């Protein structure tokens, strides 16, 4: 069997996003079953070759920036499509048809999200599997652009409506739908006979050996995203003042503009070269999600690495069979107390890391079972 994995940008997406992890999970899972998978999509401007298993439709810049160009706005409004789909209408339909024909005979398409199919409806003319995007990763048209805040809010609301409508249409037409969580399945009203939850899986964790942490508490994420920033603001405002002065804190990841530095003890590192290595440099990880929807990639990676963490209930959404190293806490006092307890336990070596490799392997096995079921339904 030969399937085409149609994704907006090659590779599937950031491997540190839920959508990127889901894309890699299904590609790897399909290939383990013997399915030939060819990736199709745009390449990042200036990026290296996408590889022998991929066909590029051409180069593309940042989709958020492209979405707010006047010609993109006009296309989206006139065609009633999401801005993220209008931003992808760079190559003409004839080029997409030629690219598909050049791939040779295929048995169907795997749609990585709905934006590319929204730009090119011909992708949904063949039998297809659908990977709905994680609702928490929808475009927010970040703060780098000059769009006024009130207009950005209107565009974000419109994007949510149009993406919802497109997802529901494609979910109804798909042979099988693989949402990343039960929450997304319920949101789309999916039929249990035509859908299965595909748990995103990260890269296999590397054996780490002895850890020598440089920080007591660490946090990792894209803090420019509104839902992530809310968790960071909550931590800085409500948790840090409750922590003892000797507790060191490091925050890694893309930082938003205008974030006030509230404590000298908090070290803002910005993006780091190796996310896994940074997390291993922290005695305890704080998972501070406050948003009410979507999955959190940092939570998944912490579990796969077997690292101890304190997490809000929102940060654990969509996660089952959590390792024993994860402590749940919601109120600020309870969260700060849990951090103190785990930091002391880790310093005194009475707290050991969990078996992240087993957690990863069990999650991978569960994903493979879902993929096998999807293939059976797709072919049946």
């Amino acid at each position: 069997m030969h399937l085409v994995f149609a994704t907006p940008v090659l590779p599937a997406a950031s491997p540190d996003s839920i959508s990127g992890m889901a894309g890699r999970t299904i590609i790897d899972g399909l290939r383990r079953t013997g399915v030939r998978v060819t990736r199709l999509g745009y390449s990042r401007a200036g990026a290296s070759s996408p590889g022998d298993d991929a066909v590029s439709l051409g180069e593309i810049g940042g989709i958020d920036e492209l979405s707010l160009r006047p010609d993109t706005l006009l296309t989206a409004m006139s065609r009633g499509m999401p801005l993220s789909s209008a931003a992808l209408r760079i190559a003409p339909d004839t080029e997409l048809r030629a690219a598909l024909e050049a791939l040779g005979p295929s048995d169907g398409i795997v749609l990585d999200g709905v934006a590319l199919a929204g730009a090119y409806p011909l992708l949904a003319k063949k039998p297809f599997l659908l990977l709905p995007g994680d609702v928490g990763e929808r475009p927010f048209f970040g703060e780098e652009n000059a769009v006024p805040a009130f207009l950005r809010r209107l565009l974000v609301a419109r994007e949510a409506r149009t993406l919802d409508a497109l997802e529901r249409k494609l979910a109804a037409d798909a042979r099988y739908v693989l949402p990343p969580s039960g929450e997304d399945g319920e949101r789309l009203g999916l039929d249990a006979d035509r859908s299965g939850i595909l748990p995103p899986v990260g890269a296999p964790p590397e054996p780490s050996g002895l850890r020598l942490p440089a920080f007591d508490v660490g946090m990792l994420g894209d803090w420019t995203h509104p839902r992530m920033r809310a968790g960071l603001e909550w931590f800085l405002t409500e948790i840090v003042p409750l922590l003892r002065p000797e507790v060191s804190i490091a925050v890694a990841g893309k930082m938003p503009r205008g974030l006030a530095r509230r404590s000298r003890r908090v070290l803002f590192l910005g993006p780091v070269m190796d996310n896994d290595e940074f997390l291993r440099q922290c005695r305890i990880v704080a998972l501070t999600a406050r948003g009410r929807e979507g999955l959190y990639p940092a939570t998944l990676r912490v579990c796969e690495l077997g690292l101890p963490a304190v997490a809000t209930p929102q940060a654990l959404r969509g996660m089952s069979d959590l390792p024993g190293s994860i402590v749940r806490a919601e109120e600020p006092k309870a969260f700060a107390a849990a951090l103190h307890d785990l930091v002391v336990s880790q310093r005194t070596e009475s707290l050991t890391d969990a078996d992240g490799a087993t957690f990863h392997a069990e999650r991978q096995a569960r994903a493979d079972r879902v993929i096998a079921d999807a293939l059976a339904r797709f072919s049946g």
Side-chain angles (χ1 to χ4, degrees), residues 23-377:
R24 182 167 53 191
T25 298
I26 194 168
I27 289 174
D28 292 347
L30 288 171
R31 287 175 173 164
R32 278 192 292 272
T33 69
V35 174
R36 177 187 165 205
V37 180
T38 305
R39 297 174 295 133
L40 174 72
Y42 291 100
S43 300
R44 290 283 185 200
S48 57
S49 170
D52 295 336
D53 66 334
V55 173
S56 174
L57 297 172
E59 290 192 343
I60 193 171
I63 294 179
D64 265 15
E65 291 76 14
L66 289 172
S67 297
L68 299 178
R69 291 190 341 189
D71 56 336
T72 302
L73 289 167
L74 181 60
T75 298
M77 299 301 175
S78 63
R79 298 191 179 213
M81 64 171 55
L83 290 167
S84 50
S85 292
L88 294 170
R89 279 199 62 83
I90 299 173
D93 287 350
T94 53
E95 286 189 18
L96 179 60
R97 287 194 181 94
L100 289 170
E101 290 173 2
L103 295 176
S106 65
D107 299 282
I109 306 285
V110 180
L111 290 179
D112 181 23
V114 300
L116 194 61
Y120 299 104
L122 65 91
L123 286 171
K125 299 300 182 184
K126 297 193 72 167
F128 66 91
L129 298 170
L130 174 64
L131 290 180
D134 176 58
V135 68
E137 293 179 350
R138 288 194 169 162
F140 67 100
F141 309 121
E143 56 186 14
E144 294 84 0
N145 56 65
V147 176
F150 80 93
L151 179 56
R152 187 183 300 126
R153 287 193 294 269
L154 291 176
L155 293 175
V156 168
R158 180 191 182 275
E159 189 75 353
R161 290 195 304 272
T162 52
L163 283 174
D164 265 336
L166 181 57
E167 275 190 329
R168 290 178 185 278
K169 180 183 182 303
L170 290 172
D173 294 340
R175 287 279 185 91
Y176 204 77
V177 187
L178 294 158
S181 71
E183 178 185 86
D184 283 296
E186 293 173 5
R187 176 176 57 85
L188 295 171
L190 297 178
D191 185 336
D193 292 334
R194 294 180 50 255
S195 67
I197 298 170
L198 179 69
V201 182
E206 297 286 340
S208 61
L210 180 65
R211 284 206 300 133
L212 298 172
F215 312 105
D216 289 320
V217 178
M219 300 174 66
L220 175 68
D222 179 358
W223 309 109
T224 65
H225 197 291
R227 70 177 188 139
M228 296 296 294
R229 179 166 179 166
L232 178 59
E233 295 273 11
W234 176 77
F235 181 81
L236 295 175
T237 302
E238 303 290 338
I239 307 301
V240 171
L242 300 177
L243 297 177
R244 295 169 187 161
E246 66 271 18
V247 175
S248 60
I249 304 160
V251 180
K254 190 175 180 182
M255 302 303 301
R257 292 181 299 180
L259 183 70
R261 182 166 181 170
R262 294 170 174 81
S263 173
R264 293 182 179 179
R265 290 186 292 146
V266 181
L267 180 63
F268 295 104
L269 301 178
V272 292
M273 293 289 293
D274 187 323
N275 288 346
D276 286 1
E277 183 59 29
F278 166 73
L279 290 171
R280 288 192 174 106
Q281 287 291 305
C282 305
R283 296 184 191 279
I284 310 299
V285 180
L287 301 168
T288 59
R290 306 296 289 170
R292 299 292 175 181
E293 55 185 18
L295 307 181
Y296 288 82
T299 302
L300 172 58
R301 199 56 186 156
V302 164
C303 292
E304 290 181 321
L305 294 173
L307 301 177
V310 180
T312 61
Q314 294 93 328
L316 301 177
R317 184 181 294 104
M319 300 291 295
S320 59
D321 303 323
L322 289 168
S325 55
I326 307 295
V327 175
R328 184 191 302 255
E330 185 167 15
E331 298 303 320
K333 288 184 179 180
F335 199 99
L339 283 176
H340 277 142
D341 289 345
L342 292 185
V343 166
V344 171
S345 297
Q346 214 281 339
R347 284 178 176 176
T348 58
E349 300 183 355
S350 60
L351 174 67
T352 57
D353 293 351
D355 187 353
T358 296
F359 175 89
H360 177 275
E362 290 174 349
R363 192 173 179 88
Q364 183 70 74
R366 190 161 70 249
D368 284 347
R369 290 193 294 270
V370 174
I371 292 170
D373 191 37
L375 274 180
R377 305 293 182 90

